[in-house]
Amino acid sequence: MAIHILAIAGSPRRHGNSETLLDWLVAAMEAEGADVEKVALDEVDVNPCRGCNACETLNKCVQRDDLDWLGEKLLDADCVVLAAPIYCMGICSQVKALIDRAQVFRSRKYVLKLPVVPPERKGKRLGVFLSTAGQKWDHVFDAAVPSVKCFYHVMEIRDSDISYLMVNGVDYAGEIEGHPTARADAEALGRNLMQELKERFGDDS
């Protein structure tokens, strides 16, 4: 059974720095036998959360948009890779909308007391956060990380099972190509993730 990776390109700027980092990582995972599905948020329709809390009784969102199918893919993947740039010291709005809509999983888990993923998959799935920022400050990613942890937590991916690769000082499109370590770091992370996933899910390839 192939290891299934859901790769989410969250930037509104297609093929920019964060998506390039994503492409490097998933290419390394594909080279190790992964089945990768890539979704660009700029090309799908995920509305912001309305804060209505209807999901606490309905076990689904009242909005009908592309989260209908994307939400299922988030739960079905063996590994979810989320790539997003930092805008104004926080995660970009397209990704924040997706994270907020994960409220439906929070309601399922904590209010309705229903399983989010099958019990046999709890503690096995992995999450990855890739990010880029133009600023060079060490704290430029600090505001994004708690949101990302929440996103994965409500999908039953533990903090200890989240990997991070965050590259600052790359602003203009294509600038990450000149970064001294970003590509090698992304490829190495991809290989390491696949080794871990094969140990957790088995390698029949």
Side-chain angles (χ1 to χ4, degrees), residues 5 12 18 32 34 37-38 79-82 88 91 101 111 113 120 137 141-142 146 159 166 178 183 186 200:
I5 314 298
S18 65
E32 298 294 325
E37 181 176 7
K38 180 178 172 182
C79 177
V80 178
V81 185
L82 178 65
C88 297
I91 203 163
R101 290 288 296 285
V111 179
K113 308 297 184 182
E120 65 271 16
W137 305 317
F141 301 105
D142 288 358
D159 286 358
M166 301 176 287
R183 181 166 192 159
R200 293 185 180 208

Side-chain angles (χ1 to χ4, degrees), residues 39-160:
V39 175
L41 286 186
D42 188 55
E43 296 179 355
V44 301
D45 181 22
V46 176
N47 297 321
C49 177
R50 296 177 182 175
C52 66
N53 289 331
C55 57
E56 293 187 356
T57 55
L58 298 176
N59 190 26
K60 64 180 181 180
C61 184
V62 296
Q63 301 188 69
R64 300 277 66 81
D65 59 15
D66 286 324
L67 194 69
D68 285 345
W69 57 265
L70 182 55
E72 292 303 315
K73 292 181 182 295
L74 286 168
L75 300 181
D76 288 343
D78 300 319
C79 177
V80 178
V81 185
L82 178 65
I86 298 300
Y87 289 171
C88 297
M89 301 302 295
I91 203 163
C92 68
S93 60
Q94 290 79 7
V95 171
K96 187 58 168 64
L98 176 64
I99 291 173
D100 289 350
R101 290 288 296 285
Q103 176 82 351
V104 68
F105 304 138
R106 194 273 322 176
S107 296
R108 189 176 302 171
K109 181 176 181 179
Y110 291 110
V111 179
L112 299 173
K113 308 297 184 182
L114 296 172
V116 177
V117 298
E120 65 271 16
R121 290 175 59 78
K122 287 183 65 174
K124 297 181 72 173
R125 305 197 308 140
L126 299 181
V128 186
F129 180 54
L130 308 175
S131 190
T132 56
Q135 299 92 340
K136 295 182 179 180
W137 305 317
D138 291 339
H139 61 279
V140 70
F141 301 105
D142 288 358
V145 170
S147 291
V148 170
K149 286 184 175 181
C150 180
F151 178 62
Y152 283 122
H153 181 74
V154 297
M155 294 191 296
E156 300 289 10
I157 296 175
R158 304 171 299 192
D159 286 358
S160 59

Side-chain angles (χ1 to χ4, degrees), residues 177-196:
E177 298 276 1
H179 191 278
T181 64
R183 181 166 192 159
D185 289 345
E187 292 173 344
L189 178 57
R191 290 190 293 269
N192 290 339
L193 288 165
M194 281 302 294
Q195 181 177 351
E196 179 65 25

